[in-house]
Amino acid sequence: MKTIGVRMYGKDDLRLEEFELPEIKEDEILVKIISDSVCMSTYKAVDQGVKHKRVPPDVAEKPVIIGHEFAGEIVKVGDKWKDQFKEGAKFAQQPALNYKGSPYSPGYSYRYFGGNATYGIVPQEVMELGCLLNYEGEGFYPVSLAEPMSCVIGGFHANYHTKSGSYEHVMGIVEGGKMAILGGAGPMGLGAIDYAIHCDRKPGLLVVTDVDDQRLKRAESIITPEEARKNGVELKYVNTKSMEDPEAYLLSLTENKGYDDVYVYAPVETLVVQGDKILGHDGCLNFFAGPTDKGFSAKVNYYNVHYAATKIIGSTGGNTDDLVEALEMMSKGLINPAVMITHIGGMDSVIDTVLGLPNIPGGKKLIYNTINMELTAIEDFEEKGKNDELFRALDEITKRNNGLWSLEAEEYLLAHGAKI
């Protein structure tokens, strides 16, 4: 059968085209892909081409489908998997396979399996590893945001602390402790705030910093201190841009005891230094943001590493358990991944979106593969709606949902958007 998708042929070489899919084997599954959330990791892969560890060296001859944060429906199941998966069911997938030590992953490495296509073939190793998951919740966009949410969750699980007189590492954040998310008003930061106040192991104090008033105001309007307080968390948003001594102010919020868990959500040297300075005894700093500069570095206070038992770690993603946790929390309405989304687009906007991603402001860009639509910020729906009925309706729907994307908006777009 034929599919329409965006394939990578090499560095900065993306092509939207129709191509043939082979018949599935008895150990494969055919899926229809509805939505995909564009990740900065996709931009990095396209920017590096074959220099990227997940891009095959023969990609020019055997192009790969891009996109790895996707959701859809199962169309046809090979005989091997008929007891586990049913046609018509929704699916989620964990792209970090690590199959037999290989870095290859959907969205980077497979000819017939990636997020920016109308149909794809799930290879047997995905099911073998337990990385194809049934999803029984509503909608598709929550699943497309489950992978980035699993990265957030993985970061919370990756932090660790110690017990005095013991060599045992206690995994996870300090329950009821003091947490700071630096550079935290972006899309991933919003996901982290949402998770922090709704998970089963919450901090007592959560301080979120940024240097942009508009981002902070949006964050505070979406995830309010009142909502956090209802869940037992004291939430404070802080703009550190004009502060003469931001570290002193942030420490003052802890009565100068310092923070148990600090997350750096932007690859900025000053933030890493700041995060290190505000750690308390046995505090753990998690450098969550991924830099593109292989020489990126920052000063660390090794006096505190030695005498105050501070720890510096990094986390780059979540595992399948983290993905399952994200899906379960979404299906129960405990977290809302729509807080990450600022732009909506169709298949025809994928190439420009990926190539221009670092220069497009806002949060996550959500793509619907079955429609054509220029990538559009949700905040621009109102203006476009003056001359376009589709955007007028979407504007009304999002405004009813506190300016956020929603199941209602998704259903309307899929029913009324221009089909590819």
Side-chain angles (χ1 to χ4, degrees), residues 38-49:
V38 181
C39 179
M40 184 59 74
S41 296
T42 298
Y43 166 80
K44 293 175 183 176
V46 175
D47 182 58
Q48 296 176 35

Side-chain angles (χ1 to χ4, degrees), residues 10-263:
K11 175 178 168 59
D12 296 332
D13 188 354
L14 297 178
R15 307 177 196 178
L16 174 60
E17 51 197 4
E18 185 178 63
F19 52 96
E20 194 76 26
L21 290 178
E23 285 291 324
I24 66 167
K25 301 173 184 175
E26 62 89 25
D27 60 356
E28 296 176 332
I29 292 177
L30 177 69
V31 294
K32 181 178 182 180
I33 305 165
I34 305 297
S35 63
D36 178 76
S37 174
V38 181
C39 179
M40 184 59 74
S41 296
T42 298
Y43 166 80
K44 293 175 183 176
V46 175
D47 182 58
Q48 296 176 35
V50 294
K51 292 182 179 180
H52 194 284
K53 67 178 182 179
R54 288 178 172 168
V55 177
D58 61 350
V59 68
E61 294 77 36
K62 297 178 180 178
V64 298
I65 303 172
I66 64 168
H68 61 273
E69 298 176 356
F70 55 97
E73 298 173 329
I74 294 173
V75 176
K76 186 177 180 181
V77 181
D79 290 341
K80 182 176 180 179
W81 307 109
K82 285 187 179 295
D83 291 340
Q84 295 183 41
F85 300 97
K86 303 300 179 185
E87 295 172 4
K90 294 177 183 176
F91 74 87
Q93 55 89 39
Q94 165 60 269
L97 303 180
N98 298 310
Y99 184 63
K100 296 182 179 179
S102 170
Y104 283 7
S105 176
Y108 304 88
S109 321
Y110 287 89
R111 295 183 68 189
Y112 304 122
F113 189 43
N116 290 127
T118 50
Y119 292 90
I121 296 175
V122 189
Q124 65 85 23
E125 56 263 33
V126 177
M127 284 73 75
E128 181 182 327
L129 293 169
C131 290
L132 188 71
L133 305 169
N134 289 301
Y135 177 66
E136 297 180 359
E138 295 184 280
F140 296 98
Y141 81 85
V143 181
S144 282
L145 276 299
E147 194 277 339
M149 273 305 306
S150 76
C151 297
V152 167
I153 293 170
F156 276 63
H157 292 163
N159 269 30
Y160 73 97
H161 300 274
T162 55
K163 294 181 178 179
S164 181
S166 168
Y167 297 115
E168 179 184 356
H169 289 178
V170 181
M171 301 306 298
I173 67 168
V174 173
E175 187 170 6
K178 300 173 179 64
M179 176 186 290
I181 302 177
L182 309 183
M188 298 297 283
L190 289 174
I193 301 165
D194 197 18
Y195 180 75
I197 68 174
H198 293 113
C199 67
D200 58 0
R201 191 174 185 174
K202 307 176 184 66
L205 171 69
L206 174 58
V207 178
V208 179
T209 75
D210 207 286
V211 294
D212 187 295
D213 272 333
Q214 186 175 355
R215 284 201 300 264
L216 283 165
K217 287 178 181 177
R218 179 177 183 268
E220 189 166 2
S221 70
I222 294 171
I223 308 174
T224 67
E226 291 74 23
E227 169 67 14
R229 198 172 300 117
K230 291 176 184 176
N231 289 275
V233 180
E234 182 183 3
L235 173 61
K236 294 180 180 292
Y237 292 98
V238 178
N239 190 330
T240 58
K241 184 176 182 179
S242 301
M243 289 184 178
E244 188 173 324
D245 192 345
E247 293 87 1
Y249 177 76
L250 294 174
L251 285 169
S252 73
L253 299 177
T254 70
E255 299 178 343
N256 292 315
K257 293 179 180 178
Y259 292 82
D260 301 296
D261 297 281
V262 175
Y263 290 85

